[in-house]
Amino acid sequence: MKRPSRRWWRAGATSLAALLALSTLAQSGQEDGLRQGAQFVGRYGSPEALRESLGNPLLSSEAQLATLDGATRFSAQLSFPSSRRLLEVFAQPGATGDLTQVIIAQDLDFTGRLEAVEQLPFAVSGVCANGVISCTPGTWEQCRHFLWGTRDDGRLFLQPAQVFDLGGCYCINNACGDTLVWRNLPQVLNTLGGGAVGALQAAHPHFAVSQVEIDGPRIAYFGQDRARPLPSADKPPAAGAPLPETRYLSDPFLLADALDERLAAQTPDPLSPYRLLAGLSERGTAGEKRACAMRRVIQVSEIHDRCDDPLPETILPPVLQEIGADGICRRNYDLYREILSDTCRTLEDDRTCRLEQELVDGVATYRQFNPTGLAPLPQGRYVAGSSFLHNSLLWRHAVGWENINASVFERFVDLRAGDTLAFSIVKTQHTTPSGCQHTVVKLRVETEDGEIVGDRTDGGAYTLCWNIGHPYFVFAYAVPSDGAHGFRISGGGYDPGKHSLNSEFRVRLIRESRRGQTFERPWWSRDRTYLCEQPGGHDFADLKERLAAVVTSTAEAQGRLSFEDRRRDAQGAWVDSSHAADLPQAAVIEECEPVCKTRRPKVEAQVAVAGTAVQARTEPLSFEFFYRPCREMRCPVEPGEEIVQDCRCLNEFAEAAAIMQTLRLAGRDQICSDGAAKSLP
């Protein structure tokens, strides 16, 4: 490690004020820092020390966690037992590219021992995210598909499946390319092991995977059983039981209810974790809350036009048509238009504003800058249009001229409050130049019980004058609000002067109705609250000016630091001043960290398809090399190791570069297969 240049003092220019006040304490502070640094290296400076000081106390009840100075010790074992290897998958490809050897090893009871070991009885030609595919070795023919599953005791197995049951599959044997497994070994292992551990966690949600390691053709999953209590002296580890949290898997809506309960409990408390975290996003920035709304509105307008005009698509039925005295057909209908009012667009497009809360049709979809996962169900709204009159013909008959019995009628009809019965005479052709006549009319309306509610049976004569096609109303009865439903209508009419030829009596039901339609939309109203940064904010111009003056004038000579300061006085004018401070003596730092190089004999015992590694080597013995930091210029040699180079400033860059280049070129084609000479890349 090279000694830092004196220029590093410039980096501390922003803290010079504090330096002036604490210059007398600088030496003691430096000594404290060096002492604590030495304590830290001594306690955590090697893998063994790290394991003893942190690893064992967290995973075992026998070791205790200690503070840095060792003065305080306490139990810090994790709440759940850990396994060195929850699951281990070993995969070895053969000459055909298929995985001819796949071994699954499991720790079922979290004792640290892989007691369940099984080997797949077939070769694997393709791997999937949730299973495997086995075909004729080296080909993609006669393929069988298997899905990962878990037995009651936690053992993994493969069950026959259909191709559509699998997902994320790809071919790995020679049918798709040479040496695909070796070239993509980490990906193949991750896919193979990921499908197995996914099936294991699906059956046992309380299993938690904490670490994954790949070592050659082996992948290992380290995990914990969060449902297994800690073992005691008189009680072995208990089997995993379903956690209360697993109920959310069967009913996800319970999670939203639990969230609302927790928020309701913590919101009133300003020191609760929820209130503290929710307020972090609002701190440090001047801002204001702005409210906006989005509304969906259906507007209805009544239209009167001619029947031959094009009819719009957005109408509220029914459409009423009527031919006037001029012979022109006219119609009446309601036209609706959907309008979306949005006052949130400006805030949504403003990068200085963030959505804090949102209510959609009364449902909170956003709360404290985060989505709640809730959504309102589609709601239908009834939109009422204009009122109109239904004019229904109940009875019609030609006018008699001898007596009233020649044109009597009787009808039963259901009426409702507000209905009107109208008795009229309509002339179809002119029979006299004047177009007038004397007519006798009788009409009676009574309930089903025989109560007479309307009577015009006095036999009075009416002098009627009208045009062709225009009715002349001689009697109308309005049904009261408390009227019954069943009514009997009877009556008749005649013309003693026999002037009513080519005329007819008509009884009509006039009923007022209202147009309307139910509209279904995903939402009708959105109410939002945004938090927007206020324009301007803090002005750092003066601070930047002062910082520039201090940094550009800072100089160090003979252990003394000098600089020029610049700040505004009470009247706002800039005032320059000179300052100086004695620097503490810089610590003497070695040019490098002394390390030593050791080696330990190692016998290559790996097994491959062709046999063991010993059978393929002329010398079965090899070495593992280690670089270890020296302690007080002594090499910490472990049992079985010998020192290759003792403590010094080692520079192994050339050797490391040569090894990396060798490994890189080992994966390249060294044979001129195409006949063209190639240079080393």
Side-chain angles (χ1 to χ4, degrees), residues 395 397-410 440-442 491-495 505:
W395 178 80
H397 195 279
V399 175
W401 58 85
E402 295 179 353
N403 55 63
I404 197 168
N405 296 325
S407 58
V408 296
F409 75 96
E410 183 177 270
V440 177
V441 176
K442 291 185 177 183
Y494 73 103
D495 180 10
F505 292 110

Side-chain angles (χ1 to χ4, degrees), residues 661-671 678-681:
Q661 178 74 347
T662 301
L663 294 175
R664 186 175 71 88
L665 295 179
R668 296 183 176 272
D669 186 10
Q670 300 295 318
I671 302 175
K678 300 180 180 65
S679 59
L680 289 177

Side-chain angles (χ1 to χ4, degrees), residues 3 51 181 226 245 272 468 534 537 542 629 644 680:
R3 179 177 179 178
R51 182 171 59 251
V181 174
R226 297 184 294 119
E245 292 82 0
S272 65
I468 297 177
Q534 290 182 347
D542 290 355
V644 178
L680 289 177

Side-chain angles (χ1 to χ4, degrees), residues 454-468:
D455 194 6
R456 182 60 63 86
T457 58
D458 54 2
Y462 296 86
T463 299
L464 309 176
C465 300
W466 62 88
N467 295 324
I468 297 177

